[in-house]
PDB file of all heavy atoms in Angstrom:
ATOM      1  N   CYS A  84    -252.938 128.378-117.244  1.00 98.00           N
ATOM      2  CA  CYS A  84    -253.905 127.648-118.065  1.00 98.00           C
ATOM      3  C   CYS A  84    -254.905 126.936-117.162  1.00 98.00           C
ATOM      4  O   CYS A  84    -254.529 126.353-116.139  1.00 98.00           O
ATOM      5  CB  CYS A  84    -253.157 126.642-118.933  1.00 98.00           C
ATOM      6  SG  CYS A  84    -254.241 125.681-119.980  1.00 98.00           S
ATOM      7  N   ARG A  85    -256.177 126.970-117.574  1.00 98.00           N
ATOM      8  CA  ARG A  85    -257.209 126.354-116.751  1.00 98.00           C
ATOM      9  C   ARG A  85    -257.187 124.831-116.854  1.00 98.00           C
ATOM     10  O   ARG A  85    -257.841 124.144-116.066  1.00 98.00           O
ATOM     11  CB  ARG A  85    -258.599 126.881-117.167  1.00 98.00           C
ATOM     12  CG  ARG A  85    -258.868 128.327-116.833  1.00 98.00           C
ATOM     13  CD  ARG A  85    -258.985 128.624-115.349  1.00 98.00           C
ATOM     14  NE  ARG A  85    -259.966 127.811-114.650  1.00 98.00           N
ATOM     15  CZ  ARG A  85    -261.298 127.999-114.673  1.00 98.00           C
ATOM     16  NH1 ARG A  85    -261.785 129.003-115.336  1.00 98.00           N
ATOM     17  NH2 ARG A  85    -262.099 127.202-114.002  1.00 98.00           N
ATOM     18  N   HIS A  86    -256.444 124.265-117.818  1.00 98.00           N
ATOM     19  CA  HIS A  86    -256.420 122.806-117.934  1.00 98.00           C
ATOM     20  C   HIS A  86    -255.615 122.182-116.808  1.00 98.00           C
ATOM     21  O   HIS A  86    -256.145 121.513-115.932  1.00 98.00           O
ATOM     22  CB  HIS A  86    -255.874 122.385-119.314  1.00 98.00           C
ATOM     23  CG  HIS A  86    -255.660 120.905-119.420  1.00 98.00           C
ATOM     24  ND1 HIS A  86    -254.522 120.363-119.964  1.00 98.00           N
ATOM     25  CD2 HIS A  86    -256.426 119.866-119.017  1.00 98.00           C
ATOM     26  CE1 HIS A  86    -254.620 119.046-119.897  1.00 98.00           C
ATOM     27  NE2 HIS A  86    -255.758 118.720-119.343  1.00 98.00           N
ATOM     28  N   ARG A  87    -254.296 122.402-116.781  1.00 98.00           N
ATOM     29  CA  ARG A  87    -253.484 121.826-115.708  1.00 98.00           C
ATOM     30  C   ARG A  87    -252.606 122.872-115.032  1.00 98.00           C
ATOM     31  O   ARG A  87    -251.680 122.528-114.309  1.00 98.00           O
ATOM     32  CB  ARG A  87    -252.631 120.678-116.261  1.00 98.00           C
ATOM     33  CG  ARG A  87    -253.430 119.431-116.661  1.00 98.00           C
ATOM     34  CD  ARG A  87    -253.098 118.209-115.785  1.00 98.00           C
ATOM     35  NE  ARG A  87    -251.718 117.805-115.931  1.00 98.00           N
ATOM     36  CZ  ARG A  87    -251.256 116.985-116.887  1.00 98.00           C
ATOM     37  NH1 ARG A  87    -252.083 116.457-117.761  1.00 98.00           N
ATOM     38  NH2 ARG A  87    -249.993 116.690-116.946  1.00 98.00           N
ATOM     39  N   GLY A  88    -252.895 124.144-115.299  1.00 98.00           N
ATOM     40  CA  GLY A  88    -252.205 125.198-114.556  1.00 98.00           C
ATOM     41  C   GLY A  88    -250.910 125.699-115.166  1.00 98.00           C
ATOM     42  O   GLY A  88    -250.206 126.510-114.545  1.00 98.00           O
ATOM     43  N   ASN A  89    -250.588 125.234-116.348  1.00 98.00           N
ATOM     44  CA  ASN A  89    -249.319 125.651-116.968  1.00 98.00           C
ATOM     45  C   ASN A  89    -249.253 127.175-117.128  1.00 98.00           C
ATOM     46  O   ASN A  89    -250.244 127.805-117.496  1.00 98.00           O
ATOM     47  CB  ASN A  89    -249.242 124.995-118.359  1.00 98.00           C
ATOM     48  CG  ASN A  89    -247.858 125.056-118.956  1.00 98.00           C
ATOM     49  OD1 ASN A  89    -246.872 124.889-118.253  1.00 98.00           O
ATOM     50  ND2 ASN A  89    -247.788 125.290-120.259  1.00 98.00           N
ATOM     51  N   LEU A  91    -248.673 130.510-118.980  1.00 98.00           N
ATOM     52  CA  LEU A  91    -248.919 130.732-120.405  1.00 98.00           C
ATOM     53  C   LEU A  91    -247.880 131.631-121.054  1.00 98.00           C
ATOM     54  O   LEU A  91    -247.422 131.367-122.163  1.00 98.00           O
ATOM     55  CB  LEU A  91    -250.312 131.343-120.592  1.00 98.00           C
ATOM     56  CG  LEU A  91    -251.462 130.404-120.173  1.00 98.00           C
ATOM     57  CD1 LEU A  91    -252.753 131.187-119.999  1.00 98.00           C
ATOM     58  CD2 LEU A  91    -251.628 129.298-121.211  1.00 98.00           C
ATOM     59  N   CYS A 105    -251.554 127.702-124.986  1.00 98.00           N
ATOM     60  CA  CYS A 105    -250.799 127.020-123.941  1.00 98.00           C
ATOM     61  C   CYS A 105    -249.825 126.049-124.596  1.00 98.00           C
ATOM     62  O   CYS A 105    -250.204 125.277-125.479  1.00 98.00           O
ATOM     63  CB  CYS A 105    -251.735 126.275-122.994  1.00 98.00           C
ATOM     64  SG  CYS A 105    -250.813 125.393-121.700  1.00 98.00           S
ATOM     65  N   GLY A 106    -248.595 126.079-124.147  1.00 98.00           N
ATOM     66  CA  GLY A 106    -247.556 125.253-124.748  1.00 98.00           C
ATOM     67  C   GLY A 106    -247.648 123.778-124.393  1.00 98.00           C
ATOM     68  O   GLY A 106    -246.906 122.962-124.927  1.00 98.00           O
ATOM     69  N   TYR A 107    -248.570 123.425-123.492  1.00 98.00           N
ATOM     70  CA  TYR A 107    -248.617 122.034-123.020  1.00 98.00           C
ATOM     71  C   TYR A 107    -249.560 121.185-123.879  1.00 98.00           C
ATOM     72  O   TYR A 107    -249.122 120.267-124.577  1.00 98.00           O
ATOM     73  CB  TYR A 107    -249.031 122.036-121.544  1.00 98.00           C
ATOM     74  CG  TYR A 107    -248.614 120.837-120.736  1.00 98.00           C
ATOM     75  CD1 TYR A 107    -248.636 120.881-119.340  1.00 98.00           C
ATOM     76  CD2 TYR A 107    -248.206 119.651-121.339  1.00 98.00           C
ATOM     77  CE1 TYR A 107    -248.254 119.799-118.578  1.00 98.00           C
ATOM     78  CE2 TYR A 107    -247.833 118.554-120.579  1.00 98.00           C
ATOM     79  CZ  TYR A 107    -247.854 118.621-119.201  1.00 98.00           C
ATOM     80  OH  TYR A 107    -247.482 117.551-118.431  1.00 98.00           O
ATOM     81  N   HIS A 108    -250.878 121.510-123.848  1.00 98.00           N
ATOM     82  CA  HIS A 108    -251.840 120.717-124.647  1.00 98.00           C
ATOM     83  C   HIS A 108    -252.625 121.606-125.592  1.00 98.00           C
ATOM     84  O   HIS A 108    -253.698 121.248-126.041  1.00 98.00           O
ATOM     85  CB  HIS A 108    -252.804 119.942-123.743  1.00 98.00           C
ATOM     86  CG  HIS A 108    -252.138 119.232-122.612  1.00 98.00           C
ATOM     87  ND1 HIS A 108    -251.929 119.824-121.390  1.00 98.00           N
ATOM     88  CD2 HIS A 108    -251.597 117.987-122.530  1.00 98.00           C
ATOM     89  CE1 HIS A 108    -251.310 118.978-120.573  1.00 98.00           C
ATOM     90  NE2 HIS A 108    -251.079 117.863-121.242  1.00 98.00           N
ATOM     91  N   SER A 109    -252.094 122.804-125.809  1.00 98.00           N
ATOM     92  CA  SER A 109    -252.606 123.677-126.863  1.00 98.00           C
ATOM     93  C   SER A 109    -254.010 124.247-126.639  1.00 98.00           C
ATOM     94  O   SER A 109    -254.695 124.551-127.596  1.00 98.00           O
ATOM     95  CB  SER A 109    -252.537 122.943-128.217  1.00 98.00           C
ATOM     96  OG  SER A 109    -252.359 123.898-129.242  1.00 98.00           O
ATOM     97  N   TRP A 110    -254.432 124.393-125.383  1.00 98.00           N
ATOM     98  CA  TRP A 110    -255.657 125.167-125.177  1.00 98.00           C
ATOM     99  C   TRP A 110    -255.359 126.591-125.648  1.00 98.00           C
ATOM    100  O   TRP A 110    -254.256 127.117-125.388  1.00 98.00           O
ATOM    101  CB  TRP A 110    -256.071 125.176-123.700  1.00 98.00           C
ATOM    102  CG  TRP A 110    -256.736 123.904-123.242  1.00 98.00           C
ATOM    103  CD1 TRP A 110    -256.524 122.656-123.739  1.00 98.00           C
ATOM    104  CD2 TRP A 110    -257.704 123.783-122.198  1.00 98.00           C
ATOM    105  NE1 TRP A 110    -257.288 121.747-123.071  1.00 98.00           N
ATOM    106  CE2 TRP A 110    -258.038 122.405-122.102  1.00 98.00           C
ATOM    107  CE3 TRP A 110    -258.315 124.670-121.313  1.00 98.00           C
ATOM    108  CZ2 TRP A 110    -258.955 121.926-121.175  1.00 98.00           C
ATOM    109  CZ3 TRP A 110    -259.230 124.191-120.383  1.00 98.00           C
ATOM    110  CH2 TRP A 110    -259.558 122.836-120.322  1.00 98.00           C
ATOM    111  N   TYR A 112    -256.594 130.629-125.849  1.00 98.00           N
ATOM    112  CA  TYR A 112    -257.445 131.643-125.227  1.00 98.00           C
ATOM    113  C   TYR A 112    -257.463 132.903-126.080  1.00 98.00           C
ATOM    114  O   TYR A 112    -256.446 133.267-126.678  1.00 98.00           O
ATOM    115  CB  TYR A 112    -256.910 131.996-123.835  1.00 98.00           C
ATOM    116  CG  TYR A 112    -256.887 130.813-122.888  1.00 98.00           C
ATOM    117  CD1 TYR A 112    -255.767 129.982-122.810  1.00 98.00           C
ATOM    118  CD2 TYR A 112    -257.990 130.521-122.095  1.00 98.00           C
ATOM    119  CE1 TYR A 112    -255.752 128.883-121.963  1.00 98.00           C
ATOM    120  CE2 TYR A 112    -257.973 129.418-121.233  1.00 98.00           C
ATOM    121  CZ  TYR A 112    -256.859 128.606-121.174  1.00 98.00           C
ATOM    122  OH  TYR A 112    -256.844 127.525-120.330  1.00 98.00           O
TER     123      TYR A 112
HETATM  124  S1  LIG B   1    -251.934 122.781-119.202  1.00 93.71           S
HETATM  125 FE1  LIG B   1    -252.528 124.157-120.712  1.00 93.71          FE
HETATM  126  S2  LIG B   1    -253.387 122.933-122.233  1.00 93.71           S
HETATM  127 FE2  LIG B   1    -252.844 121.529-120.710  1.00 93.71          FE
END
Side-chain angles (χ1 to χ4, degrees):
C84 180
R85 291 292 306 282
H86 173 225
R87 290 245 297 274
N89 194 39
L91 295 164
C105 179
Y107 204 164
H108 314 89
S109 210
W110 282 29
Y112 299 89

